[in-house]
Amino acid sequence: MKSAVLTVLLLVGAVQAQQNFTANPVPDAPNPQKFWGMENKIDFSILAGQITVDAITTQRGLNNGFRETNPVLGPLVTRGVAGEAAASALGFGFGVGTAYLLHRTHHYKAERVAVRTMLAVEGGFVANNLLRLY
């Protein structure tokens, strides 16, 4: 009998503790990772530099008789400096937007992988342009 009373008291105490805990919900914790942290600032600065070099070398290549092989941005790039600036801005905005979307959905590893992949691919484009020009 004593053990049954003790068990009931323990269960009542546990239920009471849970009710008090749920009555005062814990506010959402702040996100420990910021999107514009030092890592992303450096990565996107490098990406902006690579896009700039890509734009310059693409225009030089077009002036030397080469042709643009990108079917999506090709119509913009062949319209001169203004079209190249628009294509570069669209590309950079798409890159930052993709990373931000991954960050907001808490896919931090995928965000890092995506940004590093963007850097590698853009670096390949720049290297290809430089090899063909010089």
Side-chain angles (χ1 to χ4, degrees):
M1 183 72 173
K2 289 181 184 178
S3 62
V5 172
L6 183 61
T7 304
V8 169
L9 288 175
L10 286 174
L11 290 175
V12 168
V15 169
Q16 185 64 30
Q18 288 178 354
Q19 287 176 351
N20 288 341
F21 181 71
T22 57
N24 299 325
V26 178
D28 290 338
N31 187 358
Q33 297 183 6
K34 295 180 181 178
F35 180 70
W36 287 114
M38 187 59 69
E39 183 178 351
N40 274 353
K41 286 179 184 178
I42 292 170
D43 286 344
F44 287 122
S45 296
I46 293 169
L47 183 63
Q50 287 178 336
I51 289 174
T52 302
V53 172
D54 182 33
I56 292 168
T57 56
T58 298
Q59 287 302 308
R60 282 211 177 150
L62 291 174
N63 290 338
N64 289 339
F66 297 137
R67 64 182 182 85
E68 177 63 37
T69 58
N70 185 343
V72 176
L73 296 178
L76 287 175
V77 171
T78 56
R79 305 239 184 242
V81 176
E84 183 70 49
S88 297
L90 284 172
F92 186 73
F94 181 76
V96 172
T98 300
Y100 186 71
L101 178 67
L102 290 170
H103 183 83
R104 290 292 294 177
T105 56
H106 306 291
H107 293 95
Y108 303 119
K109 288 182 181 179
E111 173 193 357
R112 284 195 305 273
V113 168
V115 171
R116 301 287 163 74
T117 303
M118 289 178 223
L119 288 171
V121 169
E122 190 64 36
F125 291 153
V126 168
N128 180 46
N129 286 354
L130 290 173
L131 287 173
R132 292 185 184 274
L133 285 174
Y134 301 107

Short mmCIF file of all heavy atoms in Angstrom, two decimals, residues 1-38:
data_model
loop_
_atom_site.label_atom_id
_atom_site.label_comp_id
_atom_site.label_asym_id
_atom_site.label_seq_id
_atom_site.Cartn_x
_atom_site.Cartn_y
_atom_site.Cartn_z
N MET A 1 0.82 -1.20 0.00
CA MET A 1 0.00 0.00 0.00
C MET A 1 0.86 1.26 0.00
O MET A 1 0.53 2.21 -0.70
CB MET A 1 -0.91 -0.05 1.23
CG MET A 1 -1.85 1.07 1.32
SD MET A 1 -3.10 0.85 0.06
CE MET A 1 -4.16 2.10 0.45
N LYS A 2 1.93 1.23 0.81
CA LYS A 2 2.81 2.40 0.86
C LYS A 2 3.45 2.67 -0.50
O LYS A 2 3.60 3.82 -0.92
CB LYS A 2 3.89 2.20 1.91
CG LYS A 2 3.42 2.25 3.32
CD LYS A 2 4.58 2.07 4.27
CE LYS A 2 4.10 2.02 5.70
NZ LYS A 2 5.20 1.80 6.63
N SER A 3 3.82 1.62 -1.21
CA SER A 3 4.46 1.82 -2.52
C SER A 3 3.46 2.36 -3.54
O SER A 3 3.82 3.15 -4.42
CB SER A 3 5.08 0.51 -3.02
OG SER A 3 4.08 -0.47 -3.21
N ALA A 4 2.18 1.99 -3.44
CA ALA A 4 1.16 2.49 -4.36
C ALA A 4 0.93 3.99 -4.12
O ALA A 4 0.82 4.77 -5.07
CB ALA A 4 -0.14 1.72 -4.20
N VAL A 5 0.88 4.41 -2.86
CA VAL A 5 0.70 5.83 -2.54
C VAL A 5 1.92 6.63 -3.01
O VAL A 5 1.79 7.72 -3.58
CB VAL A 5 0.44 6.01 -1.03
CG1 VAL A 5 0.45 7.49 -0.65
CG2 VAL A 5 -0.87 5.38 -0.62
N LEU A 6 3.11 6.09 -2.78
CA LEU A 6 4.34 6.77 -3.21
C LEU A 6 4.38 6.90 -4.73
O LEU A 6 4.74 7.95 -5.26
CB LEU A 6 5.56 6.01 -2.69
CG LEU A 6 6.92 6.63 -3.00
CD1 LEU A 6 7.02 8.02 -2.37
CD2 LEU A 6 8.04 5.75 -2.52
N THR A 7 3.96 5.88 -5.45
CA THR A 7 3.93 5.92 -6.91
C THR A 7 2.95 6.97 -7.41
O THR A 7 3.26 7.74 -8.32
CB THR A 7 3.56 4.52 -7.46
OG1 THR A 7 4.47 3.56 -6.95
CG2 THR A 7 3.59 4.51 -8.97
N VAL A 8 1.77 7.04 -6.79
CA VAL A 8 0.78 8.03 -7.19
C VAL A 8 1.31 9.43 -6.94
O VAL A 8 1.16 10.34 -7.77
CB VAL A 8 -0.56 7.79 -6.46
CG1 VAL A 8 -1.51 8.96 -6.67
CG2 VAL A 8 -1.19 6.50 -6.93
N LEU A 9 1.93 9.66 -5.81
CA LEU A 9 2.48 10.98 -5.51
C LEU A 9 3.58 11.37 -6.50
O LEU A 9 3.66 12.52 -6.93
CB LEU A 9 3.01 11.02 -4.07
CG LEU A 9 1.96 11.03 -2.96
CD1 LEU A 9 2.62 10.93 -1.59
CD2 LEU A 9 1.11 12.26 -3.05
N LEU A 10 4.43 10.42 -6.84
CA LEU A 10 5.48 10.70 -7.83
C LEU A 10 4.89 11.04 -9.20
O LEU A 10 5.34 11.96 -9.88
CB LEU A 10 6.44 9.52 -7.93
CG LEU A 10 7.42 9.35 -6.77
CD1 LEU A 10 8.20 8.05 -6.93
CD2 LEU A 10 8.35 10.53 -6.69
N LEU A 11 3.87 10.28 -9.61
CA LEU A 11 3.24 10.55 -10.90
C LEU A 11 2.52 11.89 -10.92
O LEU A 11 2.58 12.63 -11.91
CB LEU A 11 2.28 9.42 -11.26
CG LEU A 11 2.93 8.08 -11.62
CD1 LEU A 11 1.86 7.01 -11.84
CD2 LEU A 11 3.81 8.23 -12.85
N VAL A 12 1.85 12.22 -9.82
CA VAL A 12 1.17 13.52 -9.73
C VAL A 12 2.21 14.65 -9.79
O VAL A 12 2.01 15.66 -10.46
CB VAL A 12 0.31 13.61 -8.46
CG1 VAL A 12 -0.17 15.04 -8.21
CG2 VAL A 12 -0.88 12.67 -8.56
N GLY A 13 3.31 14.46 -9.10
CA GLY A 13 4.37 15.46 -9.14
C GLY A 13 4.96 15.63 -10.54
O GLY A 13 5.24 16.74 -10.99
N ALA A 14 5.14 14.50 -11.23
CA ALA A 14 5.68 14.56 -12.59
C ALA A 14 4.71 15.25 -13.54
O ALA A 14 5.10 16.06 -14.38
CB ALA A 14 6.01 13.15 -13.09
N VAL A 15 3.40 14.94 -13.40
CA VAL A 15 2.40 15.58 -14.25
C VAL A 15 2.35 17.07 -13.97
O VAL A 15 2.25 17.89 -14.88
CB VAL A 15 1.02 14.90 -14.05
CG1 VAL A 15 -0.09 15.70 -14.71
CG2 VAL A 15 1.05 13.48 -14.58
N GLN A 16 2.41 17.44 -12.70
CA GLN A 16 2.38 18.85 -12.34
C GLN A 16 3.59 19.59 -12.91
O GLN A 16 3.48 20.72 -13.38
CB GLN A 16 2.33 19.01 -10.81
CG GLN A 16 2.18 20.42 -10.32
CD GLN A 16 0.86 21.05 -10.74
OE1 GLN A 16 -0.14 20.38 -10.91
NE2 GLN A 16 0.88 22.35 -10.93
N ALA A 17 4.74 18.96 -12.88
CA ALA A 17 5.94 19.58 -13.41
C ALA A 17 5.82 19.77 -14.92
O ALA A 17 6.22 20.80 -15.46
CB ALA A 17 7.17 18.72 -13.08
N GLN A 18 5.24 18.81 -15.62
CA GLN A 18 5.07 18.93 -17.06
C GLN A 18 4.06 20.02 -17.40
O GLN A 18 4.23 20.75 -18.36
CB GLN A 18 4.64 17.60 -17.66
CG GLN A 18 5.75 16.58 -17.69
CD GLN A 18 5.29 15.25 -18.26
OE1 GLN A 18 4.11 15.06 -18.53
NE2 GLN A 18 6.23 14.33 -18.41
N GLN A 19 3.02 20.14 -16.62
CA GLN A 19 2.03 21.18 -16.89
C GLN A 19 2.64 22.55 -16.70
O GLN A 19 2.39 23.47 -17.46
CB GLN A 19 0.82 20.99 -15.98
CG GLN A 19 -0.06 19.83 -16.38
CD GLN A 19 -1.20 19.63 -15.41
OE1 GLN A 19 -1.26 20.25 -14.36
NE2 GLN A 19 -2.12 18.74 -15.78
N ASN A 20 3.44 22.73 -15.68
CA ASN A 20 4.10 24.02 -15.46
C ASN A 20 5.09 24.32 -16.57
O ASN A 20 5.27 25.46 -16.96
CB ASN A 20 4.81 24.04 -14.10
CG ASN A 20 3.84 24.12 -12.96
OD1 ASN A 20 2.68 24.50 -13.15
ND2 ASN A 20 4.29 23.75 -11.77
N PHE A 21 5.75 23.30 -17.07
CA PHE A 21 6.75 23.51 -18.12
C PHE A 21 6.09 23.94 -19.42
O PHE A 21 6.55 24.83 -20.11
CB PHE A 21 7.58 22.24 -18.33
CG PHE A 21 8.63 22.38 -19.38
CD1 PHE A 21 9.75 23.15 -19.15
CD2 PHE A 21 8.51 21.76 -20.61
CE1 PHE A 21 10.71 23.30 -20.11
CE2 PHE A 21 9.47 21.89 -21.58
CZ PHE A 21 10.59 22.67 -21.33
N THR A 22 4.96 23.32 -19.75
CA THR A 22 4.30 23.66 -21.00
C THR A 22 3.49 24.95 -20.89
O THR A 22 3.17 25.55 -21.91
CB THR A 22 3.37 22.52 -21.46
OG1 THR A 22 2.43 22.25 -20.43
CG2 THR A 22 4.17 21.27 -21.80
N ALA A 23 3.17 25.39 -19.68
CA ALA A 23 2.42 26.63 -19.53
C ALA A 23 3.30 27.83 -19.88
O ALA A 23 2.81 28.85 -20.35
CB ALA A 23 1.89 26.76 -18.11
N ASN A 24 4.60 27.72 -19.68
CA ASN A 24 5.53 28.79 -20.01
C ASN A 24 6.45 28.31 -21.14
O ASN A 24 7.54 27.83 -20.89
CB ASN A 24 6.38 29.16 -18.80
CG ASN A 24 5.53 29.67 -17.66
OD1 ASN A 24 4.53 30.33 -17.89
ND2 ASN A 24 5.91 29.34 -16.43
N PRO A 25 6.00 28.41 -22.38
CA PRO A 25 6.82 27.88 -23.46
C PRO A 25 8.14 28.64 -23.59
O PRO A 25 8.21 29.84 -23.33
CB PRO A 25 5.96 28.07 -24.70
CG PRO A 25 5.01 29.15 -24.35
CD PRO A 25 4.79 29.06 -22.87
N VAL A 26 9.14 27.92 -23.97
CA VAL A 26 10.46 28.51 -24.17
C VAL A 26 10.45 29.25 -25.50
O VAL A 26 10.01 28.71 -26.51
CB VAL A 26 11.54 27.41 -24.17
CG1 VAL A 26 12.91 27.98 -24.42
CG2 VAL A 26 11.51 26.65 -22.87
N PRO A 27 10.89 30.49 -25.53
CA PRO A 27 10.91 31.21 -26.81
C PRO A 27 11.93 30.58 -27.76
O PRO A 27 12.85 29.88 -27.34
CB PRO A 27 11.33 32.63 -26.42
CG PRO A 27 12.04 32.46 -25.13
CD PRO A 27 11.41 31.28 -24.44
N ASP A 28 11.74 30.83 -29.04
CA ASP A 28 12.67 30.30 -30.03
C ASP A 28 14.07 30.84 -29.78
O ASP A 28 14.26 32.03 -29.55
CB ASP A 28 12.24 30.70 -31.44
CG ASP A 28 10.98 29.98 -31.87
OD1 ASP A 28 10.70 28.92 -31.29
OD2 ASP A 28 10.29 30.48 -32.77
N ALA A 29 15.01 29.94 -29.80
CA ALA A 29 16.41 30.34 -29.61
C ALA A 29 16.88 31.07 -30.85
O ALA A 29 16.48 30.75 -31.97
CB ALA A 29 17.27 29.11 -29.35
N PRO A 30 17.72 32.06 -30.70
CA PRO A 30 18.24 32.76 -31.87
C PRO A 30 19.13 31.83 -32.70
O PRO A 30 19.73 30.90 -32.17
CB PRO A 30 19.05 33.92 -31.29
CG PRO A 30 19.38 33.49 -29.91
CD PRO A 30 18.26 32.60 -29.46
N ASN A 31 19.15 32.08 -33.98
CA ASN A 31 19.95 31.26 -34.89
C ASN A 31 21.43 31.51 -34.61
O ASN A 31 21.90 32.65 -34.70
CB ASN A 31 19.63 31.63 -36.33
CG ASN A 31 20.28 30.72 -37.32
OD1 ASN A 31 21.03 29.82 -36.94
ND2 ASN A 31 20.02 30.96 -38.58
N PRO A 32 22.19 30.48 -34.27
CA PRO A 32 23.59 30.69 -33.94
C PRO A 32 24.44 31.03 -35.16
O PRO A 32 25.50 31.60 -35.03
CB PRO A 32 24.02 29.36 -33.33
CG PRO A 32 23.10 28.36 -33.93
CD PRO A 32 21.80 29.09 -34.14
N GLN A 33 23.96 30.69 -36.36
CA GLN A 33 24.72 30.95 -37.56
C GLN A 33 24.10 32.11 -38.31
O GLN A 33 22.92 32.11 -38.62
CB GLN A 33 24.76 29.71 -38.45
CG GLN A 33 25.45 28.54 -37.81
CD GLN A 33 25.53 27.36 -38.77
OE1 GLN A 33 25.17 27.45 -39.92
NE2 GLN A 33 26.03 26.26 -38.26
N LYS A 34 24.91 33.09 -38.63
CA LYS A 34 24.45 34.23 -39.41
C LYS A 34 24.80 34.00 -40.87
O LYS A 34 25.83 33.42 -41.19
CB LYS A 34 25.11 35.52 -38.92
CG LYS A 34 24.75 35.89 -37.52
CD LYS A 34 25.44 37.16 -37.12
CE LYS A 34 25.08 37.53 -35.68
NZ LYS A 34 25.78 38.74 -35.24
N PHE A 35 23.93 34.47 -41.76
CA PHE A 35 24.20 34.30 -43.18
C PHE A 35 25.41 35.11 -43.61
O PHE A 35 26.27 34.62 -44.33
CB PHE A 35 22.98 34.69 -44.01
CG PHE A 35 23.21 34.53 -45.49
CD1 PHE A 35 23.31 33.27 -46.05
CD2 PHE A 35 23.34 35.62 -46.31
CE1 PHE A 35 23.53 33.10 -47.40
CE2 PHE A 35 23.57 35.47 -47.66
CZ PHE A 35 23.66 34.21 -48.21
N TRP A 36 25.47 36.35 -43.19
CA TRP A 36 26.60 37.20 -43.57
C TRP A 36 27.71 37.11 -42.53
O TRP A 36 28.21 38.12 -42.05
CB TRP A 36 26.16 38.65 -43.77
CG TRP A 36 25.38 38.82 -45.03
CD1 TRP A 36 24.07 39.15 -45.14
CD2 TRP A 36 25.85 38.65 -46.37
NE1 TRP A 36 23.70 39.19 -46.45
CE2 TRP A 36 24.77 38.88 -47.23
CE3 TRP A 36 27.08 38.30 -46.92
CZ2 TRP A 36 24.89 38.80 -48.61
CZ3 TRP A 36 27.18 38.21 -48.30
CH2 TRP A 36 26.10 38.46 -49.13
N GLY A 37 28.11 35.90 -42.21
CA GLY A 37 29.26 35.68 -41.36
C GLY A 37 30.54 35.91 -42.16
O GLY A 37 30.52 36.16 -43.37
N MET A 38 31.66 35.79 -41.50
CA MET A 38 32.94 36.04 -42.16
C MET A 38 33.17 35.08 -43.32
O MET A 38 33.68 35.48 -44.38
CB MET A 38 34.08 35.93 -41.13
CG MET A 38 35.43 36.33 -41.68
SD MET A 38 35.49 38.02 -42.29
CE MET A 38 35.35 38.93 -40.78
#
